[in-house]
Amino acid sequence: MKMSRGQLGRRLLGLAVAGVALAAGGAAFAELGQPAPWEVRLQESASPVMDNITWFHNFLFVLITVITLFVLALLVIVVIKFNAKSNPVPSKTTHNTLIEVAWTLIPVLILVSISVPSFRLLFQQLDIPKADLTVKATGKTVVLELRLSR
């Protein structure tokens, strides 16, 4: 059976696509569990304590991102609303009690929400499970003397 040029080209193209897919798939599985550049997440854990550390890391990452975006939004609002062009006569209002209480209480609540899981995680790390296997390695030193005789 003789193949035409088109059939041969399709088969070669199919083999090339399969080879590229296998090479790319193998490269993807080679990085499993290994650190990668620009990776935000932590590696896969092997213990429940590390699962909790990973959860705490992700929680703090989201919290820090939300706080940063909130502060950025406030800065943009202040720059747009209170510039000299759109607000030629500035307000002389001072001592807004509600704002002062809010910017004192909100950071305290944020710190408490961070400290509770943090202390729980520290106490989990103090509990070290008993080892299933203990390896004792004993080394002996050997002293060599070299005597030169004449």
Side-chain angles (χ1 to χ4, degrees), residues 56 59-60 63-64 67 107-119:
F56 187 63
F59 168 70
L60 285 181
L63 188 68
I64 290 169
I67 290 170
V108 168
L109 293 174
I110 291 171
L111 289 175
V112 167
S113 71
I114 291 173
S115 68
V116 169
S118 173
F119 287 135

Side-chain angles (χ1 to χ4, degrees), residues 103-131:
W103 77 41
T104 303
L105 278 180
I106 292 173
V108 168
L109 293 174
I110 291 171
L111 289 175
V112 167
S113 71
I114 291 173
S115 68
V116 169
S118 173
F119 287 135
R120 187 179 305 132
L121 187 59
L122 284 173
F123 287 126
Q124 282 180 352
Q125 289 177 351
L126 286 175
D127 183 27
I128 300 172
K130 194 167 186 154

Side-chain angles (χ1 to χ4, degrees), residues 93-110:
T93 307
T94 60
H95 298 293
N96 189 335
T97 307
L98 180 65
I99 291 178
E100 289 179 3
V101 168
W103 77 41
T104 303
L105 278 180
I106 292 173
V108 168
L109 293 174
I110 291 171

Side-chain angles (χ1 to χ4, degrees), residues 20-82:
V20 167
L22 283 174
F29 286 122
E31 290 184 2
L32 191 62
Q34 299 296 319
W38 295 99
E39 187 173 26
V40 176
R41 297 178 54 191
L42 297 175
Q43 296 178 22
E44 294 297 320
S45 63
S47 70
V49 175
M50 188 60 197
D51 287 335
N52 291 332
I53 292 172
T54 303
W55 175 86
F56 187 63
H57 171 268
N58 294 337
F59 168 70
L60 285 181
F61 185 73
V62 169
L63 188 68
I64 290 169
T65 304
V66 167
I67 290 170
T68 304
L69 291 175
F70 178 70
V71 170
L72 177 67
L74 287 177
L75 282 172
V76 169
I77 289 170
V78 166
V79 166
I80 291 171
K81 190 173 180 182
F82 298 109

